[in-house]
Amino acid sequence: HRAVAERTTVTFEAYYPPFDAWYQVHAYGSEDGLSVFFQDVTTRKVAEARLAAAEAHYRRLVTATPNAVYVLDLAGAFTEVNPAAQRLLGLTAADLLGQPFHRVMAPRSLEECDAIFRRLIAEDAEGATLEAWVRHVDGDERLLDITLAAVREDGRLSGYM
């Protein structure tokens, strides 16, 4: 109706149950009437739905795991932290995001962790495992087994503790 009333082009996607299919509809309004073109986009819509379900599934796994999971950018700043990481450190995601990982390392482990992090970036290495001390917000230091998994994606490294 809008395409005809405003003599404009209207594009939208709609599901058509009788064909069990999704269509992208292009309606072109003119002074002579209406031209409509349909393009079957079912394959794309199904793929998008599967991708969204997979993302939600893995997000639930990362959120539910008792292991601290984090993502660092190539400068060493937190870009993602799961609830277990927040509990381990006694900090919220808002406290951690954008902050360098140095902030949570105990001084006695900082140099070693920093060297390993820089090596992972410089050598394009796959990962490293180490024992290191981190500081809880209350000042208590905790010895952890840390795995830095050099999973590169959009300029970030992923890891877990």
Side-chain angles (χ1 to χ4, degrees):
H1 292 286
R2 193 179 68 144
V4 172
E6 298 176 13
R7 293 187 180 154
T8 188
T9 300
V10 176
T11 302
F12 60 94
E13 292 181 356
Y15 179 71
Y16 189 61
F19 292 163
D20 189 27
W22 281 90
Y23 292 94
Q24 186 173 65
V25 181
H26 301 273
Y28 302 93
S30 71
E31 59 187 53
D32 296 327
L34 181 69
S35 297
V36 181
F37 296 93
F38 298 89
Q39 179 180 7
D40 187 338
V41 294
T42 304
T43 302
R44 178 179 54 82
K45 293 293 274 188
V46 168
E48 288 172 350
R50 286 182 180 150
L51 178 61
E55 288 175 351
H57 172 74
Y58 287 105
R59 177 73 51 201
R60 283 191 304 273
L61 288 175
V62 168
T63 300
T65 184
N67 295 319
V69 178
Y70 58 91
V71 178
L72 303 173
D73 63 20
L74 294 176
F78 290 101
T79 60
E80 292 181 46
V81 291
N82 74 341
Q86 295 171 59
R87 284 189 301 275
L88 176 74
L89 300 168
L91 297 165
T92 67
D95 294 330
L96 291 166
L97 296 178
Q99 296 296 313
F101 78 90
H102 296 116
R103 177 177 178 200
V104 300
M105 299 306 302
R108 58 181 147 175
S109 292
L110 183 56
E111 188 176 317
E112 179 185 13
C113 285
D114 190 56
I116 290 171
F117 179 78
R118 293 191 187 291
R119 182 179 56 81
L120 287 174
I121 294 170
E123 296 176 8
D124 202 25
E126 300 236 346
T129 301
L130 68 145
E131 284 189 344
W133 292 90
V134 297
R135 279 190 313 230
H136 186 272
V137 71
D138 66 8
D140 185 35
E141 292 185 358
R142 299 167 183 194
L143 181 62
L144 303 178
D145 288 324
I146 298 177
T147 299
L148 294 172
V151 178
R152 287 169 173 76
E153 180 180 55
D154 299 327
R156 301 178 300 173
L157 291 177
S158 298
Y160 60 92
M161 295 186 252

